[in-house]
Amino acid sequence: NGHAVFVTLEDTMVRYHRMRGDDTLWLPGVDHASIAAQFVLDKIIAEEGETRDSLGRERYLERMWQFMAETRGVIGEQMRRLGASADWSRERFTMDPFSARAVRVAFKKLHDADLAYRGEALVNWCPRCLTTISDLENVHAEEMGTIWTVRYHLARADGTPDPDAWISVATTRPETILGDTAVAVHPDDDRYRAFVGRDAFLPFLGRRVPIVADASVQREFGTGAVKITPAHDFDDYALARRHDLPMINVLAEDASMNEQAGEFAGMDRYEAREEVLARLRAMGDLEAERAHQMTIGRCERCDTVVEPRLSVQWFVRTGPLAERALASVRKGRTRIMPDHFEKVFAHWMENIHDWAVGRQLWWGHRIPAWYCPDGHITVSDQPEGPDACAACGRPATELRQETDIFDTWFSSGLWPFSTLGWPDETPDYRRFYPTSVMETGYDIIFFWVARMMMLGLFCTGLEPFHTVYLHGIVRGDGGVKMSKTKGNVSDPLAVVDEIGADALRFALTVGTAPGSDQRLTAAKLDGARNFSNKLWNAARFVIGAQPEPMAEPEGEPTLPERWIRSRLADATARATRQLDSLDMSGYAGGVYDFAWNDYCDWFIEAAKVDLRREEASHGERARAWWAAAETLATTLRLLHPLMPFVTEAIWSHLHELDPALTGDEPLLVTAAWPAGSVQDPEADAAMADLIELVRGIRNLRTEGGVPAGSWMPLALSPAARADAAAIQSALRYLEPLTRTRPIELRAPGTTPPSAVPATTSALGVAWLEASAGQVEAGGRASEARAAQLRTGIARLETLLAQPNFVERAPADVVQRERDRLEDLRGQLASLTGDLG
RNA sequence: GGGCGGCUAGCUCAGCUGGUUAGAGCACUUGCUUGACAUGCAAGAGGUCACUGGUUCGAGUCCAGUGUCGCCCACCA
């Protein structure tokens, strides 16, 4: 379903711009997702009784290519079924040779600029995936754990532990005691002032560690004294660097205790924890134990508790890169939608750490760094590597390449330009770079968007896109996030099979806002399906209503014809504006409203009258039909970006009927977006009056308990202001639309008999000429209406009586309120006159 | 510990730079197999726009604070 959202949004944007005649490219492709892919493939081969090591690097990677080909096929098929009109001839993959080259070149460029370096540091390590992971892949959550207080005995003058003097430290990870190299207290803490400078003994291993003072220690927390394990804790690491303390790694790569752990070596970290606790208890040095809520980081992929690990790694120095990316956003050269994500983006960029880009995995691009026996590093962007060590000239044969691969996001970060041929200035690159819109989920704004901004600006000197459109997460009926692990992912293809891709696309677009999550409920999908069904049926009507024989259209357009063209012009203008500003939901809602409420509910119903009028000439019927068909055709153009399938199907029928309807374009996908046309305010107003009157009369029928099927005589007393032609043209539609016959025109100012409910509109006052008993007596409708009018009038009178309002509000606002007041007074006058 | 967002009809949500009587879909009530569509048509009911204060002629909309739910970021043992 994640696919369905981005395909829908991107495809809608792209189809719109193609219809506009813009030079449009939607380049499809996928990344190689190294850690996730290995995680999945490891499981698959495990079922075959194999492991990564049993297969070996080469065969494992062969399997991976095969697996990836299948996955890509599935994703491509899904996208196509959803209607993705991407340029499949340019499909790209982050493991293809173009990407590989871009990765090498980009990395060398970074290294040359001193923005990539190799160094020893503490990184997040997943003991199950056996690789470094980035801060972002280390997901923190609150968990209940235990905090223990442990006694470290002080060293006596003779160098032995003092059984009666100790310093107590608090820890949540007792096994790391084995890697402690100090105890720290706050310099101003009176309790421990005398301890500073002395040594304490670790409970095991017989190691003496110094007690140091450091302001980073929180006096209030725990005992106020903290054990320092530099190789296994980020705080401790920083402190150790300040105090020049040794760093002892006691964990192996799978998080079992290593040989530094002495007698604990070989135990798993949690076994060792229990063992350490048991011994401390036995020695009487476990002072306290209590439940403790803490934050624990787990591997995003496999949920294993992450270990900080001291190792030599490749890093990207992000400071200068982030500064530039941030400046771009601040200056508005790249806009993030919705706006408030700019703050989120800025906050992250301002607090960014260097990026550990190396991964101890197989599936990915190997870091193009070569080491010579003398320790020199040569970074090369050549596919075959360097000829010789850049520092000492040793031949390539004596160099060995780094075995670590890049974080997938490194190659993904180059996507906007690596896919267009960079570092070469290819025609595609010149034509399409920088790109315009980056559409993706807000959940990967840091992983991907931030990296593309940083690397794009660094590599190409240009912002890789001018707009970032972030979509939200799709949640299921209960508001639960759909995730593969929870197994509540609904298969988009199953939905497509059931209700069609168009309906799914519509449901995913309407009523959503960028950056906000949405609930995709069954009811919403139903509504979307109903809409595509509605379109189909409206088209069926239009197609079936073509007059026989079809003649040259003639005669003046009727009111509904003028009106629907005006409404269409308005709908077109709005849709254009909305799509230009990426208001996808507004666009979807707007065309829906036009197609259903204006076109189907009012125009088609009115057009039926004209199409079936017996006295109409062939030419007049042809004109009436043409208006309906033409409007339908334009509506299809408006809807096509969002609902490509139904619209295309209907289009082909219209084209078959008369190519003039489709502008001689057999395919809607390549047809043009409708040009704007002028609105017709006169028709808008006249039709609004007619609609108001129709509604009023229908209301009278319902309120009066008139059976829906029966014809009722109607009396209409035209308003003095209404012109005769307008009344005449309205009558034609009034009759069938309100099921009233005959309609008697009374003199202006005529009032209905007392107690007969009437409806007042700009066109006049109307009431049902009921035979006795057919209309329930009473003027409830009129009373209610009069009350409404009185409230409105009172409100406006108060408002207009305020000098402040009249003097300080803009003239047009004041005038508008005055007009409204006049209008309401007029309506009330005729209504109260009628009531007697 | 910081930051961000939501709070509008029974439900899911629109509501742009403050200005008609606050909207839609679904659900609900009533009536309709009217020759495109019952996946439909017509009419209707339903809201102190979370709360408090402020700015303003005018606040769902802007400002401050409170509550509540959710999310993101963060190296407190």
Side-chain angles (χ1 to χ4, degrees):
Chain A
N1 252 317
H3 291 153
V5 176
F6 90 77
V7 168
T8 299
L9 291 170
E10 294 174 21
D11 191 53
T12 302
M13 294 174 191
V14 156
R15 283 179 189 267
Y16 166 67
H17 283 285
R18 262 202 308 263
M19 290 179 83
R20 288 294 300 267
D22 298 335
D23 196 15
T24 308
L25 169 65
W26 182 18
L27 191 147
V30 292
D31 66 34
H32 59 282
S34 69
I35 189 167
Q38 286 203 198
F39 183 68
V40 175
L41 186 62
D42 284 358
K43 275 199 200 160
I44 293 174
I45 61 173
E47 281 169 24
E48 298 161 6
E50 301 279 1
T51 67
R52 215 185 284 177
D53 288 324
S54 75
L55 281 179
R57 190 162 185 149
E58 198 172 321
R59 278 176 60 209
Y60 183 83
L61 288 177
E62 264 170 42
R63 269 308 296 272
M64 185 60 90
W65 277 103
Q66 194 188 325
F67 171 65
M68 276 324 241
E70 290 160 17
T71 310
R72 288 172 63 192
V74 171
I75 294 172
E77 175 61 16
Q78 276 193 353
M79 289 178 67
R80 281 171 235 245
R81 292 279 310 281
L82 288 160
S85 61
D87 182 349
W88 297 100
S89 74
R90 284 184 169 85
E91 189 178 2
R92 294 289 305 275
F93 181 44
T94 52
M95 278 300 281
D96 65 25
F98 303 97
S99 208
R101 176 159 166 250
V103 165
R104 288 193 305 266
V105 173
F107 186 70
K108 178 154 185 351
K109 223 168 131 66
L110 284 166
H111 188 255
D112 290 348
D114 194 31
L115 293 172
Y117 65 93
R118 191 167 122 100
E120 188 183 62
L122 213 49
V123 292
N124 300 300
W125 176 266
C126 174
R128 169 162 169 177
C129 298
L130 300 179
T131 180
T132 304
I133 59 177
S134 70
D135 295 341
L136 287 171
E137 290 161 302
N138 179 15
V139 298
H140 296 271
E142 295 265 293
E143 290 185 27
M144 257 344 247
T146 311
I147 188 163
W148 292 272
T149 308
V150 179
R151 290 174 182 166
Y152 285 13
H153 290 268
L154 298 180
R156 283 188 293 216
D158 65 0
T160 59
D162 184 339
D164 301 318
W166 59 77
I167 185 164
S168 297
V169 298
T171 181
T172 54
R173 300 165 62 203
E175 70 278 13
T176 63
I177 286 173
L178 304 166
D180 282 0
T181 58
V183 170
V185 297
H186 193 277
D188 301 335
D189 194 333
D190 293 333
R191 294 173 296 177
Y192 297 118
R193 213 180 280 281
F195 290 71
V196 176
R198 295 188 60 180
D199 281 356
F201 275 96
L202 295 192
F204 311 103
L205 306 172
R207 191 153 73 226
R208 271 171 75 152
V209 299
I211 297 171
V212 301
D214 192 283
S216 70
V217 177
Q218 310 260 320
R219 278 177 278 183
E220 317 75 43
F221 191 91
T223 61
V226 54
K227 59 190 267 325
I228 301 301
T229 321
H232 300 286
D233 184 281
F234 287 95
D235 287 325
D236 296 0
Y237 177 77
L239 189 145
R241 305 234 358 190
R242 286 195 290 274
H243 294 266
D244 204 20
L245 299 167
M247 304 184 184
I248 300 174
N249 183 355
V250 293
L251 288 173
E253 61 175 24
D254 64 350
S256 64
M257 308 308 292
N258 68 14
E259 68 287 350
Q260 296 282 355
E263 53 195 316
F264 298 92
M267 289 184 194
D268 170 75
R269 56 185 159 168
Y270 297 117
E271 275 177 63
R273 177 176 300 177
E274 292 309 317
E275 187 58 28
V276 163
L277 287 168
R279 303 256 195 116
L280 285 170
R281 225 172 260 125
M283 298 185 304
D285 286 332
L286 187 60
E287 194 172 278
E289 168 176 347
R290 60 181 171 81
H292 177 65
Q293 190 173 36
M294 54 192 186
T295 319
I296 291 198
R298 290 176 180 271
C299 172
E300 184 195 36
R301 197 52 51 190
C302 69
D303 212 37
T304 303
V305 173
V306 168
E307 284 291 344
R309 182 180 166 91
L310 193 60
S311 60
V312 178
Q313 295 282 335
W314 278 99
F315 289 89
V316 168
R317 203 184 303 282
T318 44
L321 300 174
E323 207 172 301
R324 227 172 139 187
L326 187 52
S328 281
V329 169
R330 290 241 162 93
K331 284 188 206 134
R333 296 174 56 81
T334 295
R335 184 185 166 208
I336 301 181
M337 290 179 68
D339 293 341
H340 71 257
F341 270 93
E342 288 183 4
K343 281 186 231 164
V344 177
F345 181 84
H347 181 258
W348 191 75
M349 282 297 191
E350 283 164 357
N351 297 289
I352 196 165
H353 298 305
D354 281 354
W355 177 13
V357 285
R359 294 292 177 274
Q360 292 67 45
L361 299 167
W362 289 351
W363 176 235
H365 298 289
R366 245 171 109 171
I367 294 177
W370 279 260
Y371 308 117
C372 89
D374 293 334
H376 304 131
I377 296 173
T378 306
V379 170
S380 165
D381 56 11
Q382 295 307 303
E384 60 285 350
D387 296 330
C389 173
C392 64
R394 278 172 185 268
T397 48
E398 293 183 32
L399 309 181
R400 79 190 155 74
Q401 189 183 354
E402 170 66 60
T403 52
D404 283 4
I405 62 165
F406 280 107
D407 180 358
T408 303
W409 296 105
F410 186 80
S411 44
S412 300
L414 309 173
W415 184 261
F417 43 99
S418 69
T419 53
L420 293 172
W422 186 87
D424 292 335
E425 289 240 344
T426 61
D428 269 3
Y429 180 81
R430 277 197 294 271
R431 184 168 163 202
F432 294 114
Y433 192 83
T435 70
S436 26
V437 178
M438 179 68 226
E439 193 288 326
T440 191
Y442 69 74
D443 50 337
I444 53 175
I445 182 171
F446 307 135
F447 281 106
W448 199 25
V449 177
R451 268 76 177 265
M452 284 189 288
M453 290 284 296
M454 293 192 291
L455 293 174
L457 282 162
F458 173 75
C459 290
T460 70
L462 296 167
E463 286 79 8
F465 26 71
H466 61 63
T467 300
V468 177
Y469 183 102
L470 298 170
H471 65 246
I473 291 166
V474 179
R475 292 171 192 277
D477 247 332
V480 235
K481 180 173 172 176
M482 294 192 181
S483 75
K484 282 175 194 148
T485 44
K486 283 183 191 145
N488 61 344
V489 182
S490 65
D491 176 10
L493 293 191
V495 179
V496 169
D497 284 339
E498 202 183 325
I499 64 170
D502 290 328
L504 176 56
R505 291 166 62 116
F506 184 82
L508 287 171
T509 305
V510 78
T512 65
S516 300
D517 295 349
Q518 61 166 314
R519 284 187 198 197
L520 191 58
T521 59
K524 193 169 184 190
L525 290 169
D526 278 349
R529 177 206 51 187
N530 294 354
F531 180 50
S532 48
N533 180 255
K534 185 77 178 174
L535 284 176
W536 183 251
N537 279 301
R540 257 184 28 170
F541 167 76
V542 171
I543 290 162
Q546 189 182 30
E548 188 67 41
M550 186 63 191
E552 274 301 303
E554 64 176 27
E556 288 301 305
T558 61
L559 174 60
E561 290 164 21
R562 286 174 58 202
W563 172 76
I564 199 64
R565 288 199 174 104
S566 180
R567 296 295 293 162
L568 179 62
D570 175 58
T572 303
R574 280 192 348 250
T576 305
R577 186 168 11 93
Q578 286 159 331
L579 284 171
D580 281 340
S581 60
L582 299 181
D583 176 6
M584 311 306 283
S585 170
Y587 152 71
V591 284
Y592 172 95
D593 184 53
F594 170 77
W596 199 313
N597 299 322
D598 291 341
Y599 185 72
C600 291
D601 285 352
W602 286 101
F603 174 73
I604 287 189
E605 291 312 312
K608 283 175 181 172
V609 176
D610 291 315
L611 284 166
R612 290 168 188 163
R613 222 155 53 98
E614 296 195 359
E615 61 275 28
S617 68
H618 286 314
E620 283 170 327
R621 281 205 197 135
R623 194 206 60 246
W625 181 79
W626 194 261
E630 198 180 50
T631 306
L632 176 62
T634 307
T635 306
L636 295 178
R637 290 182 198 251
L638 291 181
L639 274 165
H640 182 263
L642 183 58
M643 307 179 78
F645 294 103
V646 221
T647 53
E648 190 72 74
I650 298 171
W651 185 267
S652 72
H653 283 109
L654 291 182
H655 185 74
E656 209 173 298
L657 228 47
D658 189 339
L661 279 175
T662 56
D664 215 16
E665 291 278 358
L667 290 178
L668 178 53
V669 66
T670 50
W673 183 253
S677 49
V678 267
Q679 294 177 39
D680 182 345
E682 206 186 351
D684 288 344
M687 188 70 184
D689 290 343
L690 175 60
I691 288 173
E692 189 190 13
L693 184 57
V694 168
R695 288 206 164 121
I697 296 167
R698 283 173 175 169
N699 197 337
L700 291 178
R701 295 182 58 112
T702 311
E703 290 285 316
V706 177
S710 69
W711 288 85
M712 292 290 292
L714 182 80
L716 175 64
S717 166
R721 291 187 290 183
D723 80 284
I727 298 289
Q728 276 309 321
S729 115
L731 289 180
R732 192 201 294 177
Y733 304 102
L734 217 46
E735 190 180 297
L737 295 182
T738 62
R739 220 168 167 79
T740 50
R741 193 171 56 201
I743 299 178
E744 279 186 51
L745 271 189
R746 302 298 177 80
T750 312
T751 57
S754 59
V756 170
T759 182
T760 309
S761 75
L763 285 172
V765 180
W767 64 94
L768 296 172
E769 296 259 68
S771 48
Q774 243 190 310
V775 175
E776 284 173 17
R780 279 177 302 154
S782 301
E783 291 290 6
R785 176 74 183 137
Q788 253 181 12
L789 289 170
R790 285 197 193 94
T791 312
I793 288 167
R795 221 195 102 258
L796 286 171
E797 279 174 341
T798 317
L799 183 66
L800 286 164
Q802 285 180 11
N804 270 337
F805 174 69
V806 181
E807 285 159 26
R808 305 177 74 160
D812 61 313
V813 171
V814 176
Q815 192 51 48
R816 194 168 66 221
E817 301 300 328
R818 283 198 174 122
D819 292 345
R820 281 184 51 226
L821 180 59
E822 266 320 290
D823 186 47
L824 295 186
R825 274 180 178 153
Q827 288 191 41
L828 185 64
S830 51
L831 191 61
T832 49
D834 306 339
L835 287 167

